Amino acid sequence: MGNCNSCPSKGNCNSDSGCSGLVPKYGKIKHIIGIISGKGGVGKSTVTGILAVQLRKLGYTVGVLDGDITGPSIPRFFGINDKRSDISQVGDGGEVKFAPVETSMGIKVMSLNLLTEEEEAPVIWRGPVITGVLKQMYSDTEWGELDYLLIDMPPGTGDIALTIMQEVPLEGMVIVSTPQEMVSMIVKKVVIMAKKMNVNIVGVVENMSYVICGKCGEKIRVFSKKTAEEQAEYLGLPLLAEMPINLDLVESMENGNVEDYVSKSEEYEVLLDNFKNKIGI
């Protein structure tokens, strides 16, 4: 059985004998939030990283679990892709403990790309193995005392999404989409899945909503004439933020100073404010 004292659902659980879900062995986590989309390439990892930086800026202790085992990109976002996690043996039973890599702001990150020798090495595993590795990274990482753990989930409604929704005590999920109708249709599958699994959805972030004209400052919508509010209405979710295509953000990631850029950028404070209102911070 799990330890109720380390569960984000403590006080809201009907079980008298503890939960059967996954519980971190080396730490205590107050709030766990999943970030997901139905489709790849919409910016889940970017939204995860931005939200982590904004929460850390407020003084919260924050961790990020890169749940996209076959396509991990969180280390690249934070510019820690050249670092590796320390692995230590615990006891005589062959159990191991992972030490997360900390960013410049002190955000604790665990990703499969921090455990492999080469960043470009592909993961050629079947579903059960991938799910097992995800569980181990969540349970056997030395998280310490965290206010928030953000899980950057893989796209779609497959094994890992199902495992996290069923076995990890999520407080809520943030959905990421882009303006195209085809993307919205695929994203809605995840929304329906989460509702069937009784997972609380915090809201939707529409990424790549527009570009800003460098000469006149006008918002130019390049993928759809529909507004972010209309797309959110189709998904049946509150809109947390509409985020532009931002080359300065891309450049900050390439230069390794994304945390400094995001923490000083006012455009991402809307996401934080709406997230805080929905979560009840």
Side-chain angles (χ1 to χ4, degrees):
M1 292 296 181
N3 179 5
C4 291
N5 289 326
S6 63
C7 179
S9 299
K10 180 183 178 183
N12 300 314
C13 179
N14 295 323
S15 174
D16 296 324
S17 57
C19 66
S20 59
L22 294 173
V23 176
K25 298 176 183 176
Y26 311 108
K28 182 177 180 181
I29 303 171
K30 294 179 181 177
H31 310 282
I32 302 177
I33 306 294
I35 292 85
I36 192 171
S37 179
K39 201 172 189 304
V42 301
K44 287 183 296 75
S45 299
T46 299
V47 172
T48 302
I50 289 171
L51 189 55
V53 171
Q54 290 290 330
L55 287 168
R56 183 71 186 117
K57 187 175 72 170
L58 292 181
Y60 293 109
T61 52
V62 181
V64 176
L65 173 61
D66 194 346
D68 195 346
I69 304 299
T70 59
S73 55
I74 286 294
R76 274 274 172 175
F77 176 88
F78 285 107
I80 56 173
N81 47 296
D82 60 338
K83 299 182 179 180
R84 291 296 176 266
S85 167
D86 290 329
I87 306 173
S88 56
Q89 186 170 339
V90 180
D92 300 324
E95 294 185 3
V96 296
K97 178 170 60 175
F98 305 121
V101 173
E102 293 196 21
T103 70
S104 59
M105 289 183 69
I107 298 170
K108 297 181 178 181
V109 177
M110 176 48 59
S111 170
L112 189 66
N113 263 14
L114 300 175
L115 299 172
T116 57
E117 290 186 7
E118 297 181 3
E119 181 188 30
E120 296 88 355
V123 173
I124 311 174
W125 297 336
R126 294 193 181 275
V129 176
I130 293 174
T131 302
V133 170
L134 183 277
K135 289 181 178 181
Q136 188 174 15
M137 286 167 53
Y138 168 74
S139 299
D140 295 353
T141 295
E142 193 171 11
W143 294 114
E145 299 271 340
L146 290 182
D147 293 314
Y148 286 91
L149 176 67
L150 306 183
I151 303 179
D152 180 27
M153 298 170 61
T157 57
D159 288 353
I160 288 186
L162 186 62
T163 296
I164 292 175
M165 290 185 192
Q166 285 183 324
E167 301 188 43
V168 175
L170 293 172
E171 185 166 335
M173 294 186 67
V174 172
I175 308 292
V176 182
S177 186
T178 54
Q180 301 99 318
E181 285 193 8
M182 182 180 70
V183 173
S184 298
M185 177 273 293
I186 298 173
V187 170
K188 192 154 188 176
K189 294 177 183 289
V190 172
V191 174
I192 294 171
M193 176 187 183
K195 290 181 178 178
K196 286 186 175 181
M197 302 292 294
N198 294 318
V199 175
N200 173 46
I201 302 178
V202 181
V204 61
V205 176
E206 184 177 276
N207 193 28
M208 295 183 262
S209 292
Y210 56 88
V211 293
I212 299 289
C213 176
K215 293 184 177 180
C216 67
E218 179 187 357
K219 288 184 179 181
I220 303 172
R221 299 190 180 275
V222 294
F223 293 123
S224 175
K225 293 181 179 180
K226 290 185 178 179
T227 65
E229 288 79 7
E230 288 176 304
Q231 299 284 7
E233 184 179 359
Y234 167 74
L235 295 173
L237 299 175
L239 179 65
L240 296 178
E242 57 172 344
M243 291 170 34
I245 298 171
N246 188 339
L247 294 182
D248 290 333
L249 174 65
V250 174
E251 186 178 35
S252 72
M253 285 190 281
E254 293 173 349
N255 294 336
N257 62 344
V258 68
E259 288 172 288
D260 183 62
Y261 177 82
V262 171
S263 63
K264 293 178 179 178
S265 179
E266 295 181 358
E267 69 179 287
Y268 301 118
E269 292 180 359
V270 173
L271 169 61
L272 178 65
D273 290 341
N274 289 331
F275 175 81
K276 286 164 55 182
N277 290 336
K278 297 298 180 182
I279 289 293
I281 299 177

